[in-house]
């Protein structure tokens, strides 16, 4: 399988830069997710790769083959649409066979390949059905099979699960990940759902306003966000403003506007620089009195007041007052703390990101 | 619940009576008139029933005693004109409707509006002026002239309905075809056109019926040399209700057939999947 390379892609709509000088290399056999809010440029990027959008400048390569100048039908890219885009006047068989017929394969070969394609997505029995006779999940599988039977060099999936209900979506995520592992097609997956991206991707490219904000593995993106946007987009995050007081070894020491001293991980920061400290709710640990006394004072231990505690089943969602900042935390359901209670909290410095403001 | 049901049922009955009075009753009256050989006041039904006017109209009988002539030549002339008008109109309407639906065309809305123009004004002044122009080009009194007028009047249905049809087909249908290797042209013929077929047929039927029933334009441009069925209806029926009814019924037949056809096609399986 070849790789896919985007070089200096720019696409403007009037004054708006939908894609702002994007460089991206999708490795051979990799599943890379383009993640971002709506309007971040992920769909435009995908359409530039398919050829339905012509970039103002930049080049796109599959392996060594430059594809940015050739029409969509000659690029050898498989595409799965958000709305499935199955042709309603054709049966499942005809939907899958259409592309194979264009390749001028023999009837026998077409029959064989369609059967194989339907086996991959476990829909062997539904050949003669029309799309409207299928459920949403089945339609999605047919769309996937239609792209796969042509054995494309690159597979593009444009929010393929966003029209499915939550349960099915979760199941299909694993199936797509499984299929990718099995066939190893170089894949770009577009979504706005960070959980989906985390489950499915080898690497994630987070986009905002047409710019690449961060590129990395799911765990890198989640636990080492490069900036405030990525930290905020990848899940609920508390931000506390402050200033870098000191940099010692692996850790950056930050003095917040409320005069709290926090230690965390930061990259490329200077003393005195204004920063945001990002703390994820699940990384705030509640300490009992005995635990608190055994830990050295310097390691991010603070007193906080419970403002509100909400039971949400698997955990308790807290709002805490940490000096003048209101922060969210997640706590164990077995030890509920009431509103007004003062608690000792601990934040692991390795789980705390210091981001340039 | 009970009163709601009663209300619905009585509403349906009232609606049915209305439909009966508005559509079925005049049509029945037409039919009775067409077979009434003698019908004097104050009799409720004709005194003598027979098919003399029908026979006369379809050319099976030539009696000077009955005020009706053969309408066979007029019928075939009308049919021929209508078919040609449909073919030419659709050849214009399909590309125009597609382009206006799928591409950003400068003044697109204005162009669409232009097609409406011949129907947006009183027709008599338009066609009187058209006659002057057609006379200059030698089109007055010719079949070509009449065909042009019918196209002018019918194109609004052609372009507007095809435009709406193509607009209703999402762009990703064609994109999906191209992603599996179909050229733009092939994607259009294999995907978009079949999906648009019901709408295109509906638009063709409207054009066909418009041409078949067109009177005003044909009256100014075509007469006295081009005698279509509506011309015959007006000119040779006079006060002869029987003959007029026969022609009216014959004019209705293609419309009813086409409506039945549309009904069938619009119920076709795949339309349900488009929404």
């Amino acid at each position: 399988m070849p790789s896919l390379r985007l070089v200096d892609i720019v696409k403007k709509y009037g004054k708006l830069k939908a894609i702002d000088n994007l460089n991206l290399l999708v490795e051979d056999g990799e599943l890379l997710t383009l993640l971002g809010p709506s309007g971040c440029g992920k769909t435009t990027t995908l359409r530039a790769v398919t050829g339905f959008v012509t970039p103002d400048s930049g080049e796109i390569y599959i392996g060594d083959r430059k594809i940015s100048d050739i029409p969509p039908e000659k690029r050898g890219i498989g595409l799965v649409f958000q709305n499935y885009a199955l042709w309603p006047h054709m049966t499942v068989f005809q939907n899958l066979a259409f592309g194979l017929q264009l390749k001028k394969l023999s009837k026998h070969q077409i029959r064989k390949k369609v059967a194989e394609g339907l086996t991959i997505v476990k829909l062997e029995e539904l050949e003669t059905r029309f799309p409207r006779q299928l459920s949403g999940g089945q339609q999605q599988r047919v769309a996937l099979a239609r792209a796969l039977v042509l054995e494309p060099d690159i597979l593009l999936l444009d929010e393929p699960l966003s029209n499915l209900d939550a349960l099915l979506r979760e199941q299909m995520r694993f199936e797509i990940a499984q299929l990718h592992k099995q066939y190893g097609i170089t894949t770009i997956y577009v979504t706005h759902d960070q959980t989906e991206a985390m489950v499915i991707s080898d690497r994630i490219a987070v986009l905002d306003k047409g710019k690449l904000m961060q590129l990395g593995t799911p765990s890198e993106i989640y636990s080492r966000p490069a900036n405030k946007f990525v930290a905020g987009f990848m899940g609920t995050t508390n931000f506390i403003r402050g200033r870098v007081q000191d940099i010692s070894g692996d850790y950056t020491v930050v003095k917040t506007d409320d005069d709290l001293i926090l230690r965390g991980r930061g990259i490329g920061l200077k003393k005195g620089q204004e920063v945001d400290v990002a703390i994820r709710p699940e990384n705030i640990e509640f300490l009992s009195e005995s635990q608190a006394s055994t830990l050295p004072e310097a390691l991010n231990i603070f007193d906080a007041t419970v403002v509100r505690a909400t039971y949400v089943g698997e955990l308790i969602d807290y709002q805490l007052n940490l000096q003048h900042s209101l922060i969210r935390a997640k706590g164990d359901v077995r030890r509920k703390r009431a509103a007004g209670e003062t608690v000792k909290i601990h934040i692991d410095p390795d789980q705390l990101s210091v981001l340039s403001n | 619940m009970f009163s709601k049901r009663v209300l619905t049922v009585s509403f349906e009955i009232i609606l049915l009576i209305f439909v009966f009075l508005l559509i079925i009753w005049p049509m029945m009256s037409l039919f009775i008139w067409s077979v009434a050989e003698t019908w004097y006041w104050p009799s409720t039904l004709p005194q003598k029933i027979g098919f003399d006017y029908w026979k006369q109209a379809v050319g099976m009988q030539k009696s000077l005693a009955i005020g009706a002539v053969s309408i066979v030549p007029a019928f075939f002339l009308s049919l021929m004109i209508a078919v040609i008008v449909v073919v030419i109109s659709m050849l214009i309407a399909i590309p125009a409707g597609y382009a206006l639906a799928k591409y950003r065309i400068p003044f697109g809305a204005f162009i669409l509006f232009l097609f409406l123009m011949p129907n947006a004004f009183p027709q008599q002044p338009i066609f009187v002026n058209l006659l002057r122009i057609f006379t200059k080009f030698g089109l007055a009194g010719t079949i070509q002239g009449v065909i042009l007028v019918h196209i002018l009047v019918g194109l609004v249905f052609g372009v507007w309905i095809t435009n709406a049809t193509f607009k209703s087909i999402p762009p990703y249908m064609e994109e999906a075809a191209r992603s599996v290797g179909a050229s733009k042209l092939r994607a259009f013929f294999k995907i978009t056109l079949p999906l648009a077929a019901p709408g295109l047929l509906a638009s063709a039927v409207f054009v066909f019926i418009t041409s078949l029933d067109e009177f005003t334009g044909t009256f100014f441009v075509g007469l006295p040399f081009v005698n279509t069925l509506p011309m015959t209806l007006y000119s040779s029926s006079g006060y002869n209700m029987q003959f007029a009814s026969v022609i009216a019924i014959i004019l209705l037949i293609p419309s009813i057939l086409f409506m039945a056809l549309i009904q069938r096609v619009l119920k076709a399986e795949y339309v349900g999947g488009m929404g």
Side-chain angles (χ1 to χ4, degrees):
Chain A
M1 290 292 155
S3 61
L4 175 73
R5 194 151 53 93
L6 281 71
V7 184
D8 297 330
I9 302 290
V10 176
K11 177 69 188 176
K12 284 185 228 163
Y13 291 111
K15 276 187 178 173
L16 181 86
K17 279 191 176 174
I19 311 174
D20 192 354
N21 207 28
L22 183 67
N23 284 282
L24 202 58
L25 174 68
V26 188
E27 302 277 2
D28 178 357
E30 179 183 37
L31 196 156
L32 183 132
T33 296
L34 297 179
L35 177 67
S38 55
C40 72
K42 57 189 191 298
T43 298
T44 312
T45 306
L46 192 85
R47 290 176 67 79
V49 176
T50 58
F52 298 129
V53 158
T54 313
D56 298 330
S57 63
E59 283 145 23
I60 302 167
Y61 297 89
I62 294 179
D64 298 326
R65 186 163 66 100
K66 185 174 169 185
I67 58 159
S68 33
D69 298 334
I70 62 176
E73 63 267 25
K74 297 200 172 115
R75 295 192 177 192
I77 290 174
L79 191 51
V80 176
F81 291 79
Q82 182 173 1
N83 303 302
Y84 324 132
L86 298 178
W87 303 303
H89 60 303
M90 297 185 183
T91 61
V92 169
F93 180 88
Q94 289 167 329
N95 264 280
L96 263 64
F98 185 60
L100 297 166
Q101 284 159 355
L102 294 172
K103 277 190 165 178
K104 303 246 175 343
L105 295 185
S106 74
K107 273 205 172 127
H108 174 73
Q109 276 174 305
I110 291 174
R111 204 148 264 299
K112 204 174 130 225
K113 284 195 183 257
V114 170
E116 280 171 10
L118 288 175
T119 311
I120 292 173
V121 295
K122 303 180 200 128
L123 289 178
E124 297 93 332
E125 313 293 319
L126 301 179
E127 263 191 13
T128 55
R129 298 271 188 95
F130 281 94
R132 64 178 179 82
Q133 297 169 311
L134 304 176
S135 69
Q138 289 171 331
Q139 290 188 29
Q140 187 58 74
R141 283 164 207 251
V142 174
L144 202 58
R146 182 173 68 183
L148 289 174
V149 289
L150 294 169
E151 294 160 22
D153 292 335
I154 307 285
L155 184 63
L156 304 181
L157 304 159
D158 187 7
E159 309 225 8
L161 306 183
S162 61
N163 284 352
L164 302 177
D165 61 66
L167 211 65
L168 198 56
R169 193 154 57 216
E170 218 158 291
Q171 184 193 335
M172 285 295 288
R173 268 179 210 159
F174 288 110
E175 275 185 38
I176 290 178
Q178 184 60 35
L179 272 180
H180 175 256
K181 204 174 268 175
Q182 202 173 339
Y183 294 91
I185 302 176
T186 311
T187 305
I188 293 189
Y189 189 101
V190 166
T191 184
H192 62 269
D193 180 335
Q194 40 99 6
T195 323
E196 200 169 294
M198 300 282 288
V199 172
I200 218 165
S201 318
D202 293 323
R203 282 192 305 162
I204 299 174
V206 184
L207 298 178
D208 184 41
K209 294 178 185 135
K211 280 202 175 91
L212 183 62
M213 303 308 281
Q214 190 174 2
L215 178 65
T217 65
S219 69
E220 278 168 14
I221 299 267
Y222 190 80
S223 54
R224 298 265 172 277
N227 49 52
K228 201 175 168 183
F229 175 81
V230 175
F233 192 76
M234 292 308 293
T236 316
T237 309
N238 301 296
F239 292 108
I240 302 174
R241 289 170 62 93
R243 202 177 279 277
V244 177
Q245 195 182 45
D246 194 15
I247 294 165
S248 62
D250 288 344
Y251 298 112
T252 307
V253 182
V254 178
K255 186 178 183 185
T256 69
D257 295 354
D258 290 337
D259 291 332
L260 288 173
I261 306 293
L262 285 161
R263 278 164 172 256
R265 286 199 176 261
I267 301 162
L269 299 168
K270 287 192 291 283
K271 253 190 197 179
Q273 192 177 344
E274 288 214 2
V275 290
D276 277 299
V277 173
I279 309 162
R280 296 208 183 274
E282 65 271 24
N283 292 330
I284 296 176
E285 193 186 342
F286 290 84
L287 300 177
S288 62
E289 284 300 326
S290 57
Q291 281 175 310
S293 55
T294 61
L295 284 163
E297 187 58 32
L299 279 173
N300 293 355
I301 296 173
F302 308 102
D303 284 326
T305 322
V306 176
V307 176
R308 186 193 298 200
T310 314
Y311 176 76
V312 290
E314 55 197 323
L315 49 87
I316 295 173
D317 188 349
Y318 289 103
Q319 286 186 314
L320 305 174
N321 246 338
L322 179 64
Q323 300 289 63
H324 294 102
S325 309
L326 193 64
I327 61 171
R328 300 258 308 264
K330 288 178 181 173
D332 196 329
V333 283
R334 283 165 296 189
R335 169 80 177 84
K336 187 173 177 180
R337 285 149 176 98
E341 208 175 309
T342 303
V343 291
K344 274 224 183 303
I345 56 170
H346 169 237
I347 303 153
D348 182 353
D350 285 321
Q351 305 295 340
L352 192 150
S353 309
V354 184
L355 306 167
S356 68
N357 191 313
Chain B
M1 279 309 280
F2 175 76
S3 65
K4 200 175 171 187
R5 207 184 130 70
V6 168
L7 212 69
T8 327
V9 170
S10 39
F11 178 74
E12 277 170 8
I13 290 172
I14 292 169
L15 207 69
L16 270 175
I17 292 171
F18 257 106
V19 168
F20 186 78
L21 285 178
L22 281 173
I23 300 168
I24 314 288
W25 184 244
M27 276 166 76
M28 264 176 69
S29 152
L30 264 188
F31 180 74
I32 295 171
W33 263 115
S34 76
V35 294
E37 283 180 10
T38 321
W39 193 359
Y40 292 117
W41 189 82
S43 171
T44 339
L45 286 171
Q47 280 97 350
K48 186 165 175 260
I49 287 176
F51 285 89
D52 271 353
Y53 285 94
W54 279 97
K55 285 181 193 158
Q56 194 88 355
V58 299
M60 282 167 64
Q61 172 186 303
K62 280 199 180 94
S63 161
L64 292 173
I66 295 165
V69 292
S70 167
I71 58 162
V72 174
F75 179 77
F76 282 110
L77 180 65
S78 274
L79 209 60
M80 182 193 81
I81 290 175
V83 168
I84 295 172
V85 166
V86 165
V87 170
I88 298 176
S89 294
M90 293 317 281
L91 284 178
I92 300 169
I94 291 175
Y98 184 82
L100 288 166
K102 300 280 176 183
Y103 301 107
R104 270 198 224 154
I105 290 178
F107 310 110
F110 178 70
I111 293 170
L112 266 180
F113 191 63
L114 275 184
F115 286 111
L116 180 68
M117 280 294 128
N119 295 293
F121 288 103
Q123 295 200 322
Q124 284 82 349
I126 293 181
F127 292 128
V128 168
N129 277 305
L130 202 65
L131 175 60
R132 274 167 40 98
I133 298 165
F134 273 26
T135 309
K136 204 162 35 176
F137 291 104
L139 286 165
T142 65
I143 293 177
Q144 296 92 303
V146 170
I147 288 172
L148 268 177
V149 170
H150 287 195
I151 290 172
L152 200 67
V153 177
L155 216 49
V156 64
F157 300 112
V159 176
W160 281 44
I161 299 175
T162 49
N163 179 52
T165 305
F166 285 126
K167 261 190 191 154
S168 74
I169 298 170
Y172 52 73
M173 286 294 166
E174 249 178 58
E175 287 176 3
R178 299 196 70 193
S179 80
V180 300
S183 65
K184 224 174 159 114
L185 209 63
R186 196 185 286 269
F188 175 78
F189 280 109
K190 291 283 183 183
I191 305 297
T192 309
L193 207 58
L195 287 179
L200 299 185
L201 190 72
S203 120
V205 168
F206 268 104
V207 174
F208 184 85
I209 291 171
T210 305
S211 166
L212 208 60
D213 292 347
E214 211 288 329
F215 178 78
T216 322
T218 320
F219 178 80
F220 283 108
V221 171
L223 281 183
F225 305 108
V226 182
N227 234 313
T228 61
L229 210 46
M231 293 301 110
T232 315
L233 175 69
Y234 280 87
S235 63
S236 52
S237 61
Y239 288 101
N240 185 336
M241 274 301 287
Q242 287 91 331
F243 188 42
S245 303
V246 169
I247 299 179
I249 288 171
I250 289 174
L251 274 173
L252 272 176
I253 291 169
S255 310
I256 291 170
L257 283 180
F258 266 121
M259 286 302 164
L261 184 69
I262 291 187
Q263 187 92 0
R264 270 189 76 98
V265 173
L266 288 185
K267 273 187 186 163
E269 290 210 313
Y270 57 84
V271 181
M274 277 176 66

